[in-house]
Amino acid sequence: AVYKRLVVQSQKKIIGVARNYVPAGADRSPDKLPKPFYFLKPWSGIVPILGKKSGVIRVNSKHDIVPEVELGIIISKDGKNITTGHEDFIGGYFLCMDITDLTHLKQDPNAIAFCKGQDTFTPVGKFLSKTDLKDHHNLDLTLFVNGKER
């Protein structure tokens, strides 16, 4: 109930951040990352993944589709230009996937909105309160797709 209320109240924007981390074992260090950039994802991308009542994720099986596990943050207060250290704006968290149509992205690198913003490309899990996570900066997240680690 809390999750549904926060999501319904906050249905204004889904903001993604690209190039904000380096996967473990990558051959580049975090200080060599290009400057992160932001992108918007449409509400049509949201698919609730909540056990047996989960929605269906639809993808073009002819394309190279890349899912990434992410920690979503629910901003529960209005604000602009919020700086680091204002965690009172955080209402909670949720796990989600950021799915990218890599085939289309390779064809048109400027089409990030389309490649990440297709319908069902933002599956979301259950709400996690701030007390559910001891340290949201230090998490090991693993994604399994059809039983296989990605």
Side-chain angles (χ1 to χ4, degrees), residues 22-95:
V22 176
D27 59 352
R28 58 183 182 165
S29 62
D31 60 328
K32 303 272 191 225
L33 277 175
K35 184 178 179 182
F37 64 90
Y38 303 91
F39 57 92
L40 297 175
K41 293 187 74 136
W43 281 105
S44 63
I46 291 181
V47 177
I49 304 297
L50 304 169
K52 293 181 180 180
K53 294 184 179 182
S54 295
V56 175
I57 301 168
R58 300 187 191 286
V59 298
N60 182 338
S61 61
K62 296 177 184 173
H63 286 201
D64 185 11
I65 304 298
V66 179
E68 298 174 88
V69 65
E70 305 281 355
L71 179 66
I73 300 172
I74 295 175
I75 305 297
S76 59
K77 292 169 44 173
D78 287 342
K80 295 237 185 238
N81 303 315
I82 302 165
T83 58
T84 304
H86 291 279
E87 294 194 11
D88 55 314
F89 281 86
I90 297 175
Y93 306 94
F94 58 95
L95 290 178

Side-chain angles (χ1 to χ4, degrees), residues 62-145:
K62 296 177 184 173
H63 286 201
D64 185 11
I65 304 298
V66 179
E68 298 174 88
V69 65
E70 305 281 355
L71 179 66
I73 300 172
I74 295 175
I75 305 297
S76 59
K77 292 169 44 173
D78 287 342
K80 295 237 185 238
N81 303 315
I82 302 165
T83 58
T84 304
H86 291 279
E87 294 194 11
D88 55 314
F89 281 86
I90 297 175
Y93 306 94
F94 58 95
L95 290 178
C96 63
M97 284 194 318
D98 176 22
I99 300 175
T100 304
D101 182 335
L102 195 57
T103 300
H104 194 84
L105 188 60
K106 287 177 181 176
Q107 293 169 356
D108 184 359
N110 293 317
I112 194 81
F114 175 77
C115 297
K116 290 182 166 287
Q118 296 179 37
D119 291 349
T120 77
F121 269 30
T122 313
V124 297
K126 72 175 191 147
F127 173 77
L128 303 166
S129 72
K130 291 198 288 189
T131 58
D132 288 335
L133 299 178
K134 302 281 186 249
D135 181 2
H136 66 275
H137 293 288
N138 187 24
L139 296 173
D140 289 323
L141 302 176
T142 304
L143 174 64
F144 289 87
V145 176

